[in-house]
Amino acid sequence: MKLVVILCVLLGSLGVLYAAAVDKDVADKKAKFDENVYGAIDEEDENLQKDQNDYYDEVEKDDEDGHEGPVEAEGSNDVNVKLISKGQVFLQEIGSVVELPCQASAKVLVRFWFKGSALIFHDQFNLENKENYKLLENGTLQVKILTANDFGNYSCKLPVTPTIQPEIVHQVFGKTSPNITHLFVDPNQKVFDIGASFTLTCQASGYPKPKIQWHKDNEKLGTEGESLTITNAKPNHAGNYRCFADNKIGKPDHKYIKISINHIPIVSVDKYLINTDHGEDAELVCDVKGHPTPEVFWRRNEQNIVSREPRIVLKTTNERNTLTIRNVTEEDFGKYTCVASNDLGEETRTLSLVKTPAVRRFQKSHSPQKDIILQWRVESKQRISAHELQYRVKGESSWNTLVPEVEPSDDDVYIIKYTLKDLEPGIYETRARSKNHHGWSNYSDIIPFESAKAGSHKAKHPKKELKDVKIQETASIDTPAQQRTGEPVGESKTSSSTSLIPSLSLLVLLTTIHMRQ
């Protein structure tokens, strides 16, 4: 039995020795093959291979721990390199110099600098070969801004491993004037129906970021910002919308977009009465708005007027339509109608060409110390010979008639003022007419105004001083708060009552003495 065990042990040992011999033979053959192909491996190569194996073992370990891989620094191969510098924004001007930091937590062998996506520095090598780029010893990139092309994003990257490359980005902006890049409407159209809603958007570039303001035609709107929204559109929302972009660098930029609102024509007239005389020229004007663009023509006695130059001239400039009549004759006086029509409807206004004075609406007037001053305007080619002013309490049928004095005029325009004194408080109405050698004009439109008589009531409400007398609509008249003497309202009453105080005091004193006696 012992003999059998001994034989088994010997056979096992022989098997192990045989396997080792086979492995060594295979290894020798492989080594000889590698030597023939790659050359002999010396001791330095073996150490390098060992260092590489140790390096990547360490990288794998750091990756498992969630840290960045190490890079060789000052003879060490286990330093975790991190970027200390943070990305910054730099505002520069042409000709200035900016330094972009890229400091690491340890000394690094290689840095990459990019401008945008282009590699400009590989370690110390200036790949762009630009003299305004300079890399300092601490890895800072120095850039001299020569042109606007030097503005942009600069990034610094540390190639620690193929997968770990910490990076920072610096933004270098130049002070640039504003430039409107987009101006558009949502929805994408420029013509809208009444009641529609739309939004205008204005986008601009520039640094600092431009401020956007909106104007409509020549009027500044209160809206600021990139967007302007119009809801429930009306005819007055039509016009040129202009956006201004300004950042205080250079001149503001501006662009406009025209918005149209579909509506029937709107006809407006400045003067319904046009005064002229025989042999003179006359000009009748009406302004027309509408979309689609209205057709405008003039009519008299139910017949359309046609141009017969040089005596009859029809002219349209934008929204203004003018009928000019030269060398006026008696037959030219009368009523004229401005007619405007489009696919949505028709609108008219009637004007009168007269040889009698044309009395305009009452104008706003300020009163001096106490009286109500009415003021109005009259136009006449012929000299005015008389004026007439009428007023009444609102609701009454009869008028009070006054005759203002006729003042001379150097031209065809007369400004008449008349003072109404000691009116009782209440609502009044007024109208006026004038006369030249052709006769009296028609009365002007009736204009209401309000009067509050100066007195104790006025003294109790001094804050209403400017509101006590006014003419409504285009005419408003203020009344003063003092009497004809110039003394404050109610002062005379206060003085009289105050003067009684000494007499009453003396009477009480004498009565008291008499009772004691």
Side-chain angles (χ1 to χ4, degrees):
M1 185 65 182
K2 293 182 179 180
L3 182 60
V4 174
V5 173
I6 292 173
L7 289 174
C8 290
V9 172
L10 290 174
L11 289 173
S13 299
L14 290 173
V16 172
L17 293 175
Y18 177 76
V22 171
D23 290 341
K24 184 176 183 306
D25 183 58
V26 172
D28 291 341
K29 288 181 179 181
K30 183 178 183 303
K32 185 175 182 180
F33 176 79
D34 292 341
E35 183 177 351
N36 290 334
V37 176
Y38 301 107
I41 297 178
D42 54 19
E43 182 178 356
E44 182 178 355
D45 291 333
E46 290 179 356
N47 292 335
L48 177 60
Q49 182 66 40
K50 181 177 182 300
D51 290 341
Q52 291 177 346
N53 292 337
D54 292 343
Y55 176 86
Y56 286 109
D57 288 343
E58 185 67 24
V59 169
E60 292 175 359
K61 180 178 182 299
D62 287 338
D63 288 343
E64 293 174 358
D65 295 339
H67 301 297
E68 295 178 348
V71 67
E72 287 186 284
E74 298 183 347
S76 172
N77 59 5
D78 60 352
V79 177
N80 293 324
V81 178
K82 297 181 180 178
L83 282 168
I84 299 176
S85 301
K86 303 295 183 182
Q88 300 180 48
V89 176
F90 296 88
L91 182 60
Q92 301 296 128
E93 296 179 349
I94 301 295
S96 64
V97 176
V98 60
E99 293 187 353
L100 312 176
C102 184
Q103 295 184 0
S105 59
K107 184 177 181 181
V108 296
L109 297 179
V110 177
R111 281 185 179 85
F112 292 154
W113 274 100
F114 295 83
K115 183 182 184 297
S117 60
L119 181 62
I120 59 175
F121 265 94
H122 182 286
D123 198 28
Q124 296 294 327
F125 297 100
N126 187 340
L127 302 182
E128 294 286 332
N129 196 29
K130 289 188 175 181
E131 295 182 357
N132 61 318
Y133 290 170
K134 183 178 180 181
L135 193 64
L136 305 182
E137 292 183 359
N138 59 358
T140 297
L141 176 63
Q142 186 182 85
V143 180
K144 184 175 182 179
I145 309 298
L146 298 180
T147 68
N149 292 329
D150 293 321
F151 299 126
N153 293 342
Y154 292 81
S155 56
C156 176
K157 183 181 294 186
L158 305 182
V160 178
T161 72
T163 58
I164 300 177
Q165 300 184 6
E167 180 182 11
I168 57 170
V169 179
H170 297 298
Q171 295 175 291
V172 181
F173 291 105
K175 294 180 179 179
T176 55
S177 58
N179 177 44
I180 296 176
T181 56
H182 297 91
L183 176 59
F184 58 91
V185 188
D186 182 26
N188 186 22
Q189 62 190 72
K190 298 180 182 178
V191 180
F192 298 91
D193 293 330
I194 290 178
S197 298
F198 57 90
T199 298
L200 298 96
T201 300
C202 179
Q203 297 174 342
S205 62
Y207 198 88
K209 185 178 180 180
K211 181 179 179 181
I212 304 295
Q213 292 184 337
W214 291 92
H215 290 66
K216 179 181 175 293
D217 297 326
N218 295 321
E219 179 183 358
K220 182 178 179 181
L221 303 178
T223 304
E224 295 182 355
E226 288 189 352
S227 297
L228 171 65
T229 298
I230 304 297
T231 59
N232 191 22
K234 296 179 177 59
N236 63 329
H237 287 128
N240 293 323
Y241 287 83
R242 189 183 306 272
C243 77
F244 281 79
D246 188 15
N247 63 356
K248 307 304 181 182
I249 305 297
K251 295 182 179 180
D253 193 16
H254 62 95
K255 289 184 178 179
Y256 78 92
I257 188 168
K258 184 176 181 179
I259 298 296
S260 299
I261 307 296
N262 290 323
H263 64 90
I264 64 174
I266 298 175
V267 183
S268 58
V269 174
D270 290 335
K271 295 181 179 180
Y272 287 90
L273 286 176
I274 298 90
N275 170 265
T276 189
D277 205 352
H278 300 93
E280 299 284 347
D281 294 342
E283 187 176 83
L284 291 76
V285 179
C286 69
D287 294 324
V288 177
K289 297 180 180 180
H291 196 275
T293 301
E295 179 185 3
V296 180
F297 54 93
W298 291 88
R299 182 182 294 164
R300 188 182 182 207
N301 298 329
E302 303 301 325
Q303 293 184 349
N304 293 345
I305 298 175
V306 295
S307 179
R308 296 194 303 272
E309 296 187 18
R311 206 177 90 81
I312 306 297
V313 180
L314 300 175
K315 183 179 180 181
T316 299
T317 304
N318 296 327
E319 298 174 349
R320 175 144 291 199
N321 301 269
T322 305
L323 166 61
T324 302
I325 304 174
R326 304 188 189 280
N327 192 21
V328 171
T329 65
E330 182 66 27
E331 291 75 19
D332 294 322
F333 292 104
K335 295 184 181 297
Y336 293 79
T337 302
C338 175
V339 183
S341 65
N342 62 12
D343 295 340
L344 301 177
E346 181 179 288
E347 186 73 16
T348 65
R349 288 290 183 273
T350 299
L351 300 79
S352 295
L353 184 62
V354 298
K355 51 190 174 182
T356 57
V359 182
R360 304 298 177 201
R361 274 183 172 272
F362 284 80
Q363 300 172 344
K364 184 176 181 179
S365 177
H366 298 282
S367 58
Q369 296 297 317
K370 59 171 183 170
D371 302 320
I372 298 172
I373 298 179
L374 300 179
Q375 177 176 311
W376 65 101
R377 173 189 176 102
V378 177
E379 296 177 5
S380 177
K381 293 288 185 181
Q382 296 292 330
R383 186 180 67 83
I384 296 291
S385 58
H387 298 301
E388 184 178 281
L389 172 67
Q390 291 187 334
Y391 73 96
R392 67 184 178 186
V393 176
K394 187 174 182 180
E396 293 184 354
S397 58
S398 60
W399 292 90
N400 300 301
T401 301
L402 303 169
V403 181
E405 183 179 352
V406 177
E407 299 288 346
S409 175
D410 295 332
D411 51 21
D412 301 331
V413 178
Y414 296 78
I415 303 298
I416 302 96
K417 293 183 180 180
Y418 195 87
T419 302
L420 298 178
K421 299 178 179 294
D422 301 325
L423 285 182
E424 294 294 328
I427 304 298
Y428 290 80
E429 294 176 328
T430 186
R431 65 182 184 178
R433 65 176 182 168
S434 296
K435 181 181 180 181
N436 61 16
H437 82 275
H438 290 295
W440 283 99
S441 68
N442 293 328
Y443 280 105
S444 64
D445 293 338
I446 297 175
I447 301 298
F449 67 93
E450 182 180 358
S451 172
K453 185 180 178 69
S456 58
H457 173 72
K458 180 71 176 192
K460 293 179 181 179
H461 303 280
K463 292 184 178 180
K464 291 186 178 181
E465 180 174 333
L466 298 179
K467 297 182 180 180
D468 284 335
V469 178
K470 61 182 179 181
I471 289 183
Q472 298 174 357
E473 297 181 300
T474 59
S476 62
I477 295 182
D478 301 329
T479 189
Q482 292 185 343
Q483 297 291 337
R484 192 172 302 174
T485 59
E487 296 177 349
V489 174
E491 184 172 330
S492 58
K493 292 184 179 180
T494 304
S495 300
S496 298
S497 59
T498 304
S499 62
L500 295 175
I501 295 176
S503 300
L504 291 174
S505 301
L506 180 60
L507 179 60
V508 171
L509 179 61
L510 293 174
T511 303
T512 303
I513 295 173
H514 177 72
M515 292 176 66
R516 287 181 179 178
Q517 290 177 349

PDB file of all heavy atoms in Angstrom, residues 324-345:
ATOM      1  N   THR A 324     -58.577 122.884 -54.784  1.00  0.00           N
ATOM      2  CA  THR A 324     -58.182 124.291 -54.913  1.00  0.00           C
ATOM      3  C   THR A 324     -58.987 124.948 -56.034  1.00  0.00           C
ATOM      4  O   THR A 324     -59.050 124.407 -57.155  1.00  0.00           O
ATOM      5  CB  THR A 324     -56.679 124.409 -55.210  1.00  0.00           C
ATOM      6  OG1 THR A 324     -55.937 123.781 -54.161  1.00  0.00           O
ATOM      7  CG2 THR A 324     -56.260 125.865 -55.320  1.00  0.00           C
ATOM      8  N   ILE A 325     -59.592 126.088 -55.699  1.00  0.00           N
ATOM      9  CA  ILE A 325     -60.368 126.864 -56.671  1.00  0.00           C
ATOM     10  C   ILE A 325     -59.688 128.223 -56.820  1.00  0.00           C
ATOM     11  O   ILE A 325     -59.592 128.979 -55.851  1.00  0.00           O
ATOM     12  CB  ILE A 325     -61.826 127.046 -56.222  1.00  0.00           C
ATOM     13  CG1 ILE A 325     -62.473 125.685 -55.952  1.00  0.00           C
ATOM     14  CG2 ILE A 325     -62.619 127.832 -57.261  1.00  0.00           C
ATOM     15  CD1 ILE A 325     -63.868 125.772 -55.365  1.00  0.00           C
ATOM     16  N   ARG A 326     -59.232 128.514 -58.030  1.00  0.00           N
ATOM     17  CA  ARG A 326     -58.530 129.768 -58.273  1.00  0.00           C
ATOM     18  C   ARG A 326     -59.483 130.781 -58.918  1.00  0.00           C
ATOM     19  O   ARG A 326     -60.391 130.418 -59.671  1.00  0.00           O
ATOM     20  CB  ARG A 326     -57.314 129.538 -59.174  1.00  0.00           C
ATOM     21  CG  ARG A 326     -56.356 128.488 -58.623  1.00  0.00           C
ATOM     22  CD  ARG A 326     -55.076 128.435 -59.435  1.00  0.00           C
ATOM     23  NE  ARG A 326     -54.255 127.295 -59.051  1.00  0.00           N
ATOM     24  CZ  ARG A 326     -53.467 127.236 -57.998  1.00  0.00           C
ATOM     25  NH1 ARG A 326     -53.410 128.284 -57.173  1.00  0.00           N
ATOM     26  NH2 ARG A 326     -52.756 126.161 -57.747  1.00  0.00           N
ATOM     27  N   ASN A 327     -59.252 132.064 -58.566  1.00  0.00           N
ATOM     28  CA  ASN A 327     -60.032 133.164 -59.128  1.00  0.00           C
ATOM     29  C   ASN A 327     -61.532 132.907 -58.919  1.00  0.00           C
ATOM     30  O   ASN A 327     -62.319 132.760 -59.870  1.00  0.00           O
ATOM     31  CB  ASN A 327     -59.719 133.340 -60.619  1.00  0.00           C
ATOM     32  CG  ASN A 327     -60.270 134.634 -61.186  1.00  0.00           C
ATOM     33  OD1 ASN A 327     -60.540 135.594 -60.441  1.00  0.00           O
ATOM     34  ND2 ASN A 327     -60.467 134.670 -62.504  1.00  0.00           N
ATOM     35  N   VAL A 328     -61.916 132.850 -57.640  1.00  0.00           N
ATOM     36  CA  VAL A 328     -63.281 132.483 -57.257  1.00  0.00           C
ATOM     37  C   VAL A 328     -64.294 133.449 -57.850  1.00  0.00           C
ATOM     38  O   VAL A 328     -64.103 134.678 -57.846  1.00  0.00           O
ATOM     39  CB  VAL A 328     -63.400 132.451 -55.716  1.00  0.00           C
ATOM     40  CG1 VAL A 328     -64.855 132.296 -55.277  1.00  0.00           C
ATOM     41  CG2 VAL A 328     -62.549 131.325 -55.158  1.00  0.00           C
ATOM     42  N   THR A 329     -65.396 132.895 -58.360  1.00  0.00           N
ATOM     43  CA  THR A 329     -66.517 133.686 -58.881  1.00  0.00           C
ATOM     44  C   THR A 329     -67.730 133.476 -57.984  1.00  0.00           C
ATOM     45  O   THR A 329     -67.724 132.626 -57.083  1.00  0.00           O
ATOM     46  CB  THR A 329     -66.856 133.268 -60.317  1.00  0.00           C
ATOM     47  OG1 THR A 329     -67.327 131.908 -60.304  1.00  0.00           O
ATOM     48  CG2 THR A 329     -65.638 133.379 -61.226  1.00  0.00           C
ATOM     49  N   GLU A 330     -68.798 134.212 -58.258  1.00  0.00           N
ATOM     50  CA  GLU A 330     -70.003 134.117 -57.443  1.00  0.00           C
ATOM     51  C   GLU A 330     -70.577 132.704 -57.475  1.00  0.00           C
ATOM     52  O   GLU A 330     -71.100 132.207 -56.472  1.00  0.00           O
ATOM     53  CB  GLU A 330     -71.045 135.123 -57.945  1.00  0.00           C
ATOM     54  CG  GLU A 330     -72.331 135.150 -57.141  1.00  0.00           C
ATOM     55  CD  GLU A 330     -72.134 135.657 -55.716  1.00  0.00           C
ATOM     56  OE1 GLU A 330     -71.170 136.444 -55.489  1.00  0.00           O
ATOM     57  OE2 GLU A 330     -72.932 135.285 -54.828  1.00  0.00           O
ATOM     58  N   GLU A 331     -70.450 132.040 -58.615  1.00  0.00           N
ATOM     59  CA  GLU A 331     -71.007 130.695 -58.740  1.00  0.00           C
ATOM     60  C   GLU A 331     -70.260 129.655 -57.911  1.00  0.00           C
ATOM     61  O   GLU A 331     -70.763 128.553 -57.675  1.00  0.00           O
ATOM     62  CB  GLU A 331     -70.995 130.260 -60.214  1.00  0.00           C
ATOM     63  CG  GLU A 331     -71.955 131.007 -61.116  1.00  0.00           C
ATOM     64  CD  GLU A 331     -71.476 132.420 -61.433  1.00  0.00           C
ATOM     65  OE1 GLU A 331     -70.258 132.690 -61.262  1.00  0.00           O
ATOM     66  OE2 GLU A 331     -72.311 133.264 -61.818  1.00  0.00           O
ATOM     67  N   ASP A 332     -69.065 129.988 -57.456  1.00  0.00           N
ATOM     68  CA  ASP A 332     -68.259 129.009 -56.710  1.00  0.00           C
ATOM     69  C   ASP A 332     -68.662 128.926 -55.237  1.00  0.00           C
ATOM     70  O   ASP A 332     -68.304 127.952 -54.551  1.00  0.00           O
ATOM     71  CB  ASP A 332     -66.767 129.355 -56.800  1.00  0.00           C
ATOM     72  CG  ASP A 332     -66.228 129.209 -58.216  1.00  0.00           C
ATOM     73  OD1 ASP A 332     -66.650 128.248 -58.903  1.00  0.00           O
ATOM     74  OD2 ASP A 332     -65.399 130.040 -58.629  1.00  0.00           O
ATOM     75  N   PHE A 333     -69.380 129.935 -54.738  1.00  0.00           N
ATOM     76  CA  PHE A 333     -69.751 129.893 -53.329  1.00  0.00           C
ATOM     77  C   PHE A 333     -70.844 128.836 -53.116  1.00  0.00           C
ATOM     78  O   PHE A 333     -71.705 128.628 -53.968  1.00  0.00           O
ATOM     79  CB  PHE A 333     -70.244 131.264 -52.856  1.00  0.00           C
ATOM     80  CG  PHE A 333     -69.169 132.313 -52.827  1.00  0.00           C
ATOM     81  CD1 PHE A 333     -69.117 133.280 -53.824  1.00  0.00           C
ATOM     82  CD2 PHE A 333     -68.210 132.322 -51.832  1.00  0.00           C
ATOM     83  CE1 PHE A 333     -68.127 134.247 -53.810  1.00  0.00           C
ATOM     84  CE2 PHE A 333     -67.213 133.282 -51.815  1.00  0.00           C
ATOM     85  CZ  PHE A 333     -67.172 134.250 -52.809  1.00  0.00           C
ATOM     86  N   GLY A 334     -70.773 128.162 -51.955  1.00  0.00           N
ATOM     87  CA  GLY A 334     -71.772 127.149 -51.655  1.00  0.00           C
ATOM     88  C   GLY A 334     -71.163 125.970 -50.907  1.00  0.00           C
ATOM     89  O   GLY A 334     -70.072 126.065 -50.330  1.00  0.00           O
ATOM     90  N   LYS A 335     -71.874 124.846 -50.937  1.00  0.00           N
ATOM     91  CA  LYS A 335     -71.466 123.668 -50.174  1.00  0.00           C
ATOM     92  C   LYS A 335     -70.732 122.668 -51.075  1.00  0.00           C
ATOM     93  O   LYS A 335     -71.146 122.423 -52.218  1.00  0.00           O
ATOM     94  CB  LYS A 335     -72.697 123.002 -49.538  1.00  0.00           C
ATOM     95  CG  LYS A 335     -73.381 123.867 -48.486  1.00  0.00           C
ATOM     96  CD  LYS A 335     -74.531 123.128 -47.833  1.00  0.00           C
ATOM     97  CE  LYS A 335     -75.230 124.006 -46.804  1.00  0.00           C
ATOM     98  NZ  LYS A 335     -74.318 124.384 -45.683  1.00  0.00           N
ATOM     99  N   TYR A 336     -69.693 122.075 -50.502  1.00  0.00           N
ATOM    100  CA  TYR A 336     -68.896 121.045 -51.183  1.00  0.00           C
ATOM    101  C   TYR A 336     -68.818 119.826 -50.262  1.00  0.00           C
ATOM    102  O   TYR A 336     -68.726 119.969 -49.035  1.00  0.00           O
ATOM    103  CB  TYR A 336     -67.491 121.559 -51.493  1.00  0.00           C
ATOM    104  CG  TYR A 336     -67.462 122.665 -52.523  1.00  0.00           C
ATOM    105  CD1 TYR A 336     -67.773 123.988 -52.162  1.00  0.00           C
ATOM    106  CD2 TYR A 336     -67.132 122.412 -53.839  1.00  0.00           C
ATOM    107  CE1 TYR A 336     -67.748 125.014 -53.100  1.00  0.00           C
ATOM    108  CE2 TYR A 336     -67.089 123.432 -54.789  1.00  0.00           C
ATOM    109  CZ  TYR A 336     -67.400 124.726 -54.407  1.00  0.00           C
ATOM    110  OH  TYR A 336     -67.379 125.750 -55.341  1.00  0.00           O
ATOM    111  N   THR A 337     -68.820 118.643 -50.871  1.00  0.00           N
ATOM    112  CA  THR A 337     -68.791 117.409 -50.081  1.00  0.00           C
ATOM    113  C   THR A 337     -67.556 116.589 -50.450  1.00  0.00           C
ATOM    114  O   THR A 337     -67.291 116.344 -51.635  1.00  0.00           O
ATOM    115  CB  THR A 337     -70.054 116.562 -50.331  1.00  0.00           C
ATOM    116  OG1 THR A 337     -71.199 117.338 -49.999  1.00  0.00           O
ATOM    117  CG2 THR A 337     -70.029 115.307 -49.477  1.00  0.00           C
ATOM    118  N   CYS A 338     -66.815 116.198 -49.406  1.00  0.00           N
ATOM    119  CA  CYS A 338     -65.681 115.282 -49.565  1.00  0.00           C
ATOM    120  C   CYS A 338     -66.205 113.864 -49.339  1.00  0.00           C
ATOM    121  O   CYS A 338     -66.751 113.566 -48.275  1.00  0.00           O
ATOM    122  CB  CYS A 338     -64.582 115.623 -48.565  1.00  0.00           C
ATOM    123  SG  CYS A 338     -63.183 114.476 -48.576  1.00  0.00           S
ATOM    124  N   VAL A 339     -66.057 113.003 -50.343  1.00  0.00           N
ATOM    125  CA  VAL A 339     -66.595 111.645 -50.303  1.00  0.00           C
ATOM    126  C   VAL A 339     -65.445 110.643 -50.329  1.00  0.00           C
ATOM    127  O   VAL A 339     -64.554 110.750 -51.185  1.00  0.00           O
ATOM    128  CB  VAL A 339     -67.544 111.379 -51.487  1.00  0.00           C
ATOM    129  CG1 VAL A 339     -68.151 109.980 -51.391  1.00  0.00           C
ATOM    130  CG2 VAL A 339     -68.626 112.443 -51.557  1.00  0.00           C
ATOM    131  N   ALA A 340     -65.462 109.685 -49.408  1.00  0.00           N
ATOM    132  CA  ALA A 340     -64.438 108.624 -49.356  1.00  0.00           C
ATOM    133  C   ALA A 340     -65.137 107.279 -49.262  1.00  0.00           C
ATOM    134  O   ALA A 340     -66.049 107.102 -48.440  1.00  0.00           O
ATOM    135  CB  ALA A 340     -63.519 108.830 -48.164  1.00  0.00           C
ATOM    136  N   SER A 341     -64.724 106.330 -50.086  1.00  0.00           N
ATOM    137  CA  SER A 341     -65.364 105.011 -50.075  1.00  0.00           C
ATOM    138  C   SER A 341     -64.333 103.922 -50.335  1.00  0.00           C
ATOM    139  O   SER A 341     -63.346 104.132 -51.052  1.00  0.00           O
ATOM    140  CB  SER A 341     -66.465 104.948 -51.138  1.00  0.00           C
ATOM    141  OG  SER A 341     -65.925 105.066 -52.437  1.00  0.00           O
ATOM    142  N   ASN A 342     -64.568 102.752 -49.713  1.00  0.00           N
ATOM    143  CA  ASN A 342     -63.807 101.537 -50.015  1.00  0.00           C
ATOM    144  C   ASN A 342     -64.765 100.358 -49.971  1.00  0.00           C
ATOM    145  O   ASN A 342     -65.981 100.544 -49.915  1.00  0.00           O
ATOM    146  CB  ASN A 342     -62.611 101.365 -49.069  1.00  0.00           C
ATOM    147  CG  ASN A 342     -63.021 101.216 -47.613  1.00  0.00           C
ATOM    148  OD1 ASN A 342     -64.204 101.013 -47.300  1.00  0.00           O
ATOM    149  ND2 ASN A 342     -62.062 101.337 -46.722  1.00  0.00           N
ATOM    150  N   ASP A 343     -64.233  99.153 -49.992  1.00  0.00           N
ATOM    151  CA  ASP A 343     -65.082  97.961 -50.028  1.00  0.00           C
ATOM    152  C   ASP A 343     -65.943  97.808 -48.783  1.00  0.00           C
ATOM    153  O   ASP A 343     -66.938  97.069 -48.794  1.00  0.00           O
ATOM    154  CB  ASP A 343     -64.216  96.705 -50.200  1.00  0.00           C
ATOM    155  CG  ASP A 343     -63.503  96.686 -51.538  1.00  0.00           C
ATOM    156  OD1 ASP A 343     -63.955  97.412 -52.452  1.00  0.00           O
ATOM    157  OD2 ASP A 343     -62.492  95.970 -51.669  1.00  0.00           O
ATOM    158  N   LEU A 344     -65.577  98.494 -47.692  1.00  0.00           N
ATOM    159  CA  LEU A 344     -66.299  98.329 -46.427  1.00  0.00           C
ATOM    160  C   LEU A 344     -67.366  99.389 -46.197  1.00  0.00           C
ATOM    161  O   LEU A 344     -68.193  99.250 -45.301  1.00  0.00           O
ATOM    162  CB  LEU A 344     -65.297  98.329 -45.262  1.00  0.00           C
ATOM    163  CG  LEU A 344     -64.231  97.234 -45.313  1.00  0.00           C
ATOM    164  CD1 LEU A 344     -63.260  97.381 -44.150  1.00  0.00           C
ATOM    165  CD2 LEU A 344     -64.862  95.859 -45.300  1.00  0.00           C
ATOM    166  N   GLY A 345     -67.350 100.474 -46.981  1.00  0.00           N
ATOM    167  CA  GLY A 345     -68.371 101.497 -46.783  1.00  0.00           C
ATOM    168  C   GLY A 345     -67.955 102.846 -47.319  1.00  0.00           C
ATOM    169  O   GLY A 345     -66.911 103.001 -47.967  1.00  0.00           O
TER     170      GLY A 345
END
